[in-house]
Amino acid sequence: MKKIFLILCCTLLVACNQATAKSKKTPQAKYVFYFIGDGMGVNQVNAAEIFLGQVEGKYGTSPLCFASFPYAAFITTHSASSGVTDSAAAGTALATGEKTQNGALGLDESLTHPINSIAWKAKKNGMAVGVTTTVTTDHATPAAFYAHTKSRDDKNVIRQQREASGYDFILGAPDDGSLPYRLDRKAGELSQADIVRMAIDSLMRVNPEGFFLMSEGGMIDYACHSNDAGAMIGEMLDFDDAIKVAYKFYEKHPDETLIVVTADHETGGLVLTRGKYETHLDRLQYQKMTVKRLGQEMNRLKKQHGESFGWPIVQEFLKANFGFGGPLSLSERQLRRLQTAFDNTEKGIGKGEKTLYQEDSEFCVCVRTIMAEIAMVNFAHTCHSAGYVPCFAVGVGAQQFMGRFDNTDIPKKISSIAGWK
């Protein structure tokens, strides 16, 4: 009898332990948001928060939504072929968890074997899958989630692979362009937040039991390549607005959602002072358009005014759209530089500048440089840098995104948390 009693007790104990183990099983994320700020280094995030704080009249920062997430990390970004990555190699690392050479998409370091992304894994595991961006969906970062090619410039192959991916929601700018910058956007034009809302609605209809959404803020990179500080701040705020949409979803599904925010690399070598222990990023609020748009507006004004077009008209335009001579005072030297740059441009002898995504006249370059001087910020160059990028996370498994690790670790962590094999 005692023996039977002991066997029963042991059986009950094992059953209780099994039930406890099941109750302690690590929860898995059903809904995964993966935001990538192209070109968004640590200082780009800091600049946006300083800007918000200074607009409110304080020396400190006002936090962005995503930078307030409870878990954060520093991420290394080197590629297999360089200490400074390009977007294709970085996108591949963030999408697949493996390094590749600069310029390649979805291939291993030897460029001989295709490697699958976490978007592919999510789809294989029955999830609805979305890939979105504010630039073109055949661009390096979004393409890394579905393409396999030695060259990011092989657009025909990339577009064919995009169509063959079988993903449920792919949306960005038309293949020959990008969405408007926040500063240049007109009423009714799409923002990244709009796209994320559309993606959530679509993916939930496809599979309400789970989805993966990668959303890229691609124009941060464009703004930094062109050293346009005002445009960069606008794109950072736009990126945060998109993440707020996902955060509202998380608040409704806190035990089932993971949001991870990171970047592929830093662009521009952004420095948050010009050597006087000061920053005045709040002055960028007076910039009402991008430098790219400024060039287009100069051409429009010239056609509109004909022979009467000249410095007085341009001076009033700058006052209305950049604050020069209005809320922002210019030194005599800055004013002379502007006038000289305008005259040189009009005479056809101006020395403009061509960066990765745009070409600016000497006048436009002068405007953007003076705007940065007034805001007390500086760009070291117009390319990528090897600096750390940030990673922020909230939701199921978010505690894994702490400390310092490599960009290849991010998709591995996401796959583990979601339970995708």
Side-chain angles (χ1 to χ4, degrees):
M1 191 70 181
K2 287 183 180 179
K3 197 179 238 184
I4 293 172
F5 179 74
L6 286 172
I7 291 171
L8 286 172
C9 286
C10 289
T11 303
L12 286 170
L13 183 61
V14 170
C16 287
N17 287 336
Q18 289 176 340
T20 302
K22 286 181 180 179
S23 67
K24 290 183 177 180
K25 185 179 178 182
T26 303
Q28 292 182 339
K30 288 173 58 177
Y31 310 109
V32 177
F33 293 90
Y34 194 8
F35 286 94
I36 299 174
D38 198 324
M40 185 187 74
V42 173
N43 273 5
Q44 278 77 1
V45 177
N46 199 12
E49 295 192 317
I50 292 171
F51 169 83
L52 292 174
Q54 289 182 339
V55 167
E56 293 174 6
K58 59 186 180 183
Y59 287 115
T61 62
S62 287
L64 296 166
C65 172
F66 71 84
S68 303
F69 287 175
Y71 300 99
F74 288 113
I75 308 300
T76 52
T77 63
H78 63 280
S79 72
S81 59
S82 177
V84 181
T85 188
D86 84 321
S87 290
T92 298
L94 291 172
T96 70
E98 292 193 36
K99 297 287 187 183
T100 193
Q101 297 182 35
N102 281 0
L105 288 166
L107 297 175
D108 69 355
E109 184 176 345
S110 70
L111 305 184
T112 56
H113 298 99
I115 41 180
N116 292 317
S117 72
I118 54 172
W120 179 88
K121 286 184 180 180
K123 189 67 178 173
K124 184 182 176 184
N125 281 268
M127 302 294 103
V129 171
V131 172
T132 76
T133 180
T134 56
V135 293
T136 60
T137 57
D138 61 2
H139 211 259
T141 302
F145 286 82
Y146 61 77
H148 310 278
T149 178
K150 292 181 181 179
S151 175
R152 60 182 288 182
D153 296 323
D154 197 348
K155 296 298 184 181
N156 288 333
V157 169
I158 291 171
R159 290 166 187 172
Q160 290 170 7
Q161 293 177 345
R162 178 183 63 191
E163 299 307 312
S165 69
Y167 294 169
D168 303 285
F169 189 90
I170 300 177
L171 184 62
D175 285 341
D176 58 350
S178 61
L179 297 183
Y181 283 102
R182 180 187 181 104
L183 287 184
D184 299 337
R185 189 182 302 138
K186 299 175 184 175
E189 291 182 320
L190 280 179
S191 67
Q192 188 177 1
D194 294 328
I195 292 175
V196 171
R197 288 189 196 94
M198 293 165 63
I200 293 172
D201 290 343
S202 178
L203 296 175
M204 285 295 280
R205 286 196 299 271
V206 172
N207 184 3
E209 294 305 311
F211 64 71
F212 168 81
L213 173 62
M214 190 290 292
S215 185
E216 180 200 24
M219 300 294 286
I220 302 167
D221 181 61
Y222 282 37
C224 291
H225 273 296
S226 62
N227 289 179
D228 189 338
M232 179 269 294
I233 293 294
E235 293 311 297
M236 287 298 304
L237 299 181
D238 217 53
F239 187 58
D240 195 48
D241 284 347
I243 296 166
K244 287 176 183 176
V245 174
Y247 191 75
K248 287 182 180 178
F249 182 94
Y250 157 78
E251 289 180 316
K252 295 177 182 177
H253 308 274
D255 299 323
E256 302 172 305
T257 304
L258 170 66
I259 305 175
V260 177
V261 182
T262 192
D264 52 354
H265 52 74
E266 193 275 343
T267 300
L270 178 63
V271 180
L272 300 180
T273 188
R274 296 182 76 94
K276 293 185 178 180
Y277 298 98
E278 297 177 32
T279 57
H280 300 290
L281 282 101
D282 56 311
R283 295 173 183 177
L284 294 172
Q285 68 184 295
Y286 300 109
Q287 181 176 337
K288 305 301 181 185
M289 64 177 62
T290 64
V291 173
K292 180 180 180 179
R293 176 73 179 277
L294 172 63
Q296 297 167 350
E297 288 297 303
M298 287 300 99
N299 291 332
R300 183 188 64 79
L301 285 172
K302 192 171 184 177
K303 289 179 181 179
Q304 177 184 339
H305 293 280
E307 293 184 1
S308 64
F309 177 70
W311 178 244
I313 291 172
V314 172
Q315 199 168 15
E316 284 302 309
F317 184 86
L318 292 177
K319 182 178 180 180
N321 293 283
F322 288 83
F324 293 174
L328 302 180
S329 298
L330 299 185
S331 67
E332 289 186 12
R333 184 171 180 274
Q334 287 172 328
L335 186 58
R336 284 197 304 271
R337 284 164 53 200
L338 272 176
Q339 288 177 296
T340 299
F342 173 73
D343 290 340
N344 289 345
T345 299
E346 286 303 293
K347 292 175 183 176
I349 61 172
K351 296 179 180 179
E353 182 175 87
K354 185 175 182 179
T355 52
L356 187 59
Y357 295 113
Q358 69 189 61
E359 187 168 1
D360 298 310
S361 69
E362 181 178 327
F363 173 69
C364 289
V365 171
C366 188
V367 170
R368 84 173 188 215
T369 303
I370 289 174
M371 199 75 217
E373 290 171 0
I374 292 171
M376 294 295 288
V377 298
N378 198 9
F379 289 93
H381 47 74
T382 61
C383 301
H384 299 175
S385 75
Y388 287 124
V389 297
C391 181
F392 303 94
V394 66
V396 180
Q399 66 274 12
Q400 294 191 32
F401 297 90
M402 293 181 65
R404 185 188 72 141
F405 46 87
D406 192 64
N407 54 8
T408 54
D409 293 319
I410 298 177
K412 294 172 185 175
K413 292 175 183 289
I414 292 173
S415 293
S416 175
I417 294 166
W420 301 332
K421 304 297 183 183

